[in-house]
Amino acid sequence: MGAAALILAAGEGTRMKSGLPKVAHRILGVPMVAHVIDAAHRAGCEQIVAVTGHGAEVVESLIGTVASVRQEQQLGTGHAVMCAKEALGGIDGSLVVLSGDSPLLRSETIARLVETREKIGAAAVVLTATLPDPSGYGRIIREGDGTLAGIVEDKDLAPAQRSIDEVNTGTYCFDARRLFHHLESLGNQNSQGEYYLTDMITVFRDEGLKVEGIATDQPEETLGVNSRVQLSEAAKVLQRRINRGHMLAGVTMTDPELVWIGPAVTIGRDTVLEPMTFLMGETHIGEACLIGPDSRVTDSRVESASVVDSSILVQATLGEGAVVGPRAYLRPGTVLAPRAKVGTSVEIKNSTIGEGSKVPHLSYIGDATIGSDVNVGAGTITCNYDGIHKHPTVIGDGAFIGSDTMLVAPVTVGEGAVTAAGSAITRDVPADALGVERSEQRAIDGWARKRRAGRERTGDSKER
Ligand code: UD1
Ligand code: CA
């Protein structure tokens, strides 16, 4: 398509009552402005520029490789576009203008605006919506035959115009050359003393150029976020849109209202997502997995036929048929090979658990490489941190780690070796050996009987 896009994101967003600029607020883990940029990308916009101002450093840190221009003083949406003249003034063809606070706009709609403008050769095409409550929005003024005549801001409406329910969504496609050529004609004689981009419609009309307003069939996609209430409304709309897409593609959700999935997440068919499941960031879930209830998976890869129950995964990788939980915490760098199992209240960080190996109960495993078919007994801990440095633990294939083993790293347990329960292992255990570190157990004959007898003499029969 080859259109360029300009994203207006310099406003403060006073009604958010926030230390953060408005467009930096997140929906499903993604900053609002990034949702808009993503829609522009997917619509085929090649060159994208954002106008930043309030909290510019914060906003610029969130827009990745997208270029930005600064608008030091927020003198209105028309002025914001003027600030991009140097960056975009040279381009020919379509320029899409979007608001950084409209995160629900779909890429199909942007593409439709561009196609319409190019087909009819208009100087501007405006996206409009018909709303049950149009208050606060600029209104679309049409002539008797439906021709677009102009846009009047809410604060500048004449009493007779108040009832108009077709509004300006703040989304436009312009002929870039004509826009920058006539932009200087904008004045700021209005109730807010601002340069309104919306006045370009009358400017073009006065020049005898063609303008058009086309309506969206999904008014909810035009929701502008101005407050935290609207932020939550936008999140709800996006949640439903994303979940519906996954369900239609073969994912089961027992209660989709209680499942939250980020826009970049991919999920294979026949996977079941139980309530209170959160899949965020760059996460991939394979086919026929069971995730949840009560699980959070962020920036992780889970291969097919895996189970995650009441657990947290952050930057973790699960091989096919892995089983996790309940209440496991898999931190960055955790890799489970196929069919590995991590059970109840286990924390793992920066470690590989080999094929078919098990860490079933109450363990901490950090900076470890565990081979295949290893059993790690309950309560086992890798002591990987000496207070200054982190050290590695290596456990060979087929080893058996007794319950409550302390593995004081750096340390290696060889293939097929065994450690005795309760041992603090500070030296390497050779392959097929037993590593045992315990003081010898004694039996004191009659000790318990004597204690009972003493209790009977004093008449104190209760245990204390
Ligand atoms: C604007 C439109 C209004 C439309 C509404 C849709 C104008 C004059 N009015 O009003 O017709 O119904 O959007 O949501 O355009 N911005 C800047 N620099 C500025 C001013 C604004 O970058 O100097 C950015 C804001 O950060 C925001 C966007 O432009 O992302 C829209 O600005 P906002 O002040 O929210 O405009 P509205 O009053 O909502
Ligand atoms: Ca707005």
Side-chain angles (χ1 to χ4, degrees), residues 7-13 15 22-23 51-53 71 73-81 98-102 134 136-139 151-155 167-172 192 194-199 222-226:
I7 296 169
L8 308 186
E12 180 180 9
R15 284 170 283 173
K22 174 162 77 177
V23 298
V51 182
T52 62
Q71 184 194 23
Q73 263 189 303
Q74 283 70 55
L75 303 179
T77 47
H79 179 254
V81 177
L98 307 170
S99 285
D101 65 354
S102 300
Y137 288 92
R139 305 296 206 286
I151 302 174
V152 180
E153 287 309 289
D154 190 70
K155 290 182 175 126
V167 307
N168 169 27
T169 66
T171 304
Y172 319 82
Q192 303 187 81
E194 289 185 359
Y195 296 91
Y196 290 163
L197 183 59
T198 45
D199 287 345
T222 66
L223 178 74
V225 173
N226 297 309

Side-chain angles (χ1 to χ4, degrees), residues 11-12 17 24 36 112 138 150 250 277 284 412 414:
E12 180 180 9
K17 308 271 164 66
V36 180
R112 188 158 71 92
T277 288
H284 167 75
T412 297

Side-chain angles (χ1 to χ4, degrees), residues 48-52 60 63 66-70 87:
I48 301 182
V49 174
V51 182
T52 62
E60 285 158 16
I63 61 177
V66 167
S68 61
V69 295
R70 292 272 179 105

Side-chain angles (χ1 to χ4, degrees), residues 112-422:
R112 188 158 71 92
L113 273 184
V114 175
E115 278 159 25
T116 305
R117 194 203 69 77
E118 290 175 2
K119 198 164 83 196
I120 66 177
V125 177
V126 185
L127 182 70
T128 75
T130 301
L131 301 182
D133 176 14
S135 58
Y137 288 92
R139 305 296 206 286
I140 299 295
I141 312 297
R142 291 190 187 265
E143 286 172 4
D145 63 355
T147 316
L148 178 62
I151 302 174
V152 180
E153 287 309 289
D154 190 70
K155 290 182 175 126
D156 302 305
L157 286 171
Q161 295 171 320
R162 292 229 143 254
S163 58
I164 297 173
D165 61 357
E166 187 182 15
V167 307
N168 169 27
T169 66
T171 304
Y172 319 82
C173 180
F174 290 102
D175 175 327
R177 226 169 22 80
R178 286 172 171 152
L179 173 66
F180 287 110
H181 184 75
H182 292 290
L183 201 53
E184 311 295 325
S185 326
L186 283 185
N188 62 352
Q189 262 66 70
N190 50 56
S191 64
Q192 303 187 81
E194 289 185 359
Y195 296 91
Y196 290 163
L197 183 59
T198 45
D199 287 345
M200 286 310 296
I201 301 302
T202 29
V203 170
F204 286 143
R205 292 252 311 174
D206 292 347
E207 294 291 331
L209 295 168
K210 190 164 188 170
V211 293
E212 182 66 273
I214 61 171
T216 169
D217 51 351
Q218 292 192 13
E220 66 178 18
E221 78 173 317
T222 66
L223 178 74
V225 173
N226 297 309
S227 69
R228 309 252 184 178
V229 174
Q230 287 170 322
L231 186 71
S232 75
E233 288 167 358
K236 204 48 174 170
V237 172
L238 207 55
Q239 176 204 31
R240 288 186 177 146
R241 188 193 289 171
I242 288 173
N243 288 2
R244 188 181 155 77
H246 288 297
M247 288 188 283
L248 290 174
V251 175
T252 293
M253 298 183 199
T254 39
D255 185 348
E257 292 292 310
L258 297 179
V259 171
W260 294 83
I261 303 173
V265 174
T266 55
I267 310 174
R269 51 195 242 165
D270 292 323
T271 280
V272 176
L273 304 178
E274 295 288 7
M276 298 311 290
T277 288
F278 303 78
L279 307 177
M280 293 292 152
E282 301 286 324
T283 288
H284 167 75
I285 310 284
E287 292 186 4
C289 292
L290 174 59
I291 314 287
D294 208 8
S295 294
R296 177 154 62 84
V297 181
T298 304
D299 296 327
S300 294
R301 192 171 174 86
V302 174
E303 296 297 350
S304 297
S306 293
V307 175
V308 175
D309 179 7
S310 307
S311 292
I312 298 173
L313 277 63
V314 182
Q315 293 171 37
T317 305
L318 267 52
E320 203 170 318
V323 176
V324 174
R327 282 180 289 289
Y329 181 20
L330 306 189
R331 293 167 48 201
T334 298
V335 177
L336 305 193
R339 288 172 299 288
K341 178 188 156 84
V342 169
T344 318
S345 300
V346 172
E347 175 176 341
I348 302 189
K349 181 217 79 171
N350 188 34
S351 296
T352 300
I353 314 294
E355 190 159 346
S357 290
K358 297 187 170 97
V359 189
H361 332 272
L362 302 158
S363 286
Y364 170 65
I365 305 293
D367 304 309
T369 306
I370 299 182
S372 56
D373 298 313
V374 170
N375 190 87
V376 176
T380 292
I381 285 181
T382 54
C383 310
N384 62 323
Y385 184 47
D386 58 16
I388 302 163
H389 297 110
K390 304 273 170 76
H391 301 285
T393 299
V394 177
I395 301 176
D397 294 347
F400 182 94
I401 307 299
S403 293
D404 201 25
T405 297
M406 301 287 124
L407 294 158
V408 183
V411 72
T412 297
V413 177
E415 280 184 25
V418 173
T419 68

